Amino acid sequence: VQLQASGGGLVQAGGSLRLSCAASGSIFSINDMGWYRQIPGKQRELVATITKGGTTHYSESVKGRFTISRDHAKDTVYLQMNSLKPEDTAVYYCNADLVTMARRYLELWGQGTQVTVSS
C-alpha cells in the first residue's frame, strides 16, 4: 500500500498548480486524507485535510486560495492551489489514514513533491 504524489513544479507568483495523490494497493477503506508541506529546517505543517465524508479544513495561510478534494472511486486526493505566493514554496506531502484489506490501520505519507513559486 502506498501513496504516489504528483503535480509539483515551478510557477510564477499569482499562478496555479494542482497536486494529485493516489493511493494504491490492498485498500479496504480510506478515512482522512490531507496535504502537508515542509520548508528545509522547519517542521512539517498542515495545509489542508478532508474527511471521508467530505468535510474540509485549511490552514489560515491558504484559506481562500487552496481547495482540497478527493475522488473516492480513484482513491485520490487533490490540492488545487491558486494565487500562489513565494511563501508557498515547499515540499508538499500527501497523507492518508486507511484500512487495508487485512484490516490493518495505517497512516501513510507520499514521497513529497516540490512546489516552487518565483516572485
Side-chain angles (χ1 to χ4, degrees):
V1 183
Q2 64 177 353
L3 297 178
Q4 182 70 39
S6 61
L10 172 64
V11 65
Q12 287 189 331
S16 298
L17 281 175
R18 189 193 194 207
L19 305 183
S20 300
C21 177
S24 62
S26 297
I27 298 169
F28 177 70
S29 68
I30 303 177
N31 298 318
D32 293 356
M33 302 185 83
W35 289 95
Y36 294 72
R37 65 187 182 188
Q38 188 168 23
I39 300 168
K42 293 194 174 183
Q43 281 192 325
R44 192 171 296 186
E45 64 174 9
L46 181 147
V47 176
T49 60
I50 184 166
T51 67
K52 191 174 186 178
T55 300
T56 58
H57 172 75
Y58 298 92
S59 69
E60 286 299 320
S61 62
V62 307
K63 199 174 288 185
R65 300 186 297 122
F66 291 9
T67 302
I68 189 170
S69 61
R70 63 192 286 178
D71 184 330
H72 292 281
K74 296 181 179 179
D75 288 338
T76 299
V77 63
Y78 305 97
L79 186 67
Q80 177 66 43
M81 305 184 293
N82 298 329
S83 302
L84 282 160
K85 304 175 181 180
E87 51 264 44
D88 294 318
T89 296
V91 177
Y92 284 70
Y93 297 90
C94 56
N95 172 275
D97 292 325
L98 56 85
V99 182
T100 69
M101 294 299 286
R103 300 304 190 267
R104 285 184 62 200
Y105 286 82
L106 294 177
E107 180 185 17
L108 291 182
W109 290 92
Q111 82 281 14
T113 184
Q114 176 71 46
V115 171
T116 303
V117 184
S118 63
S119 57

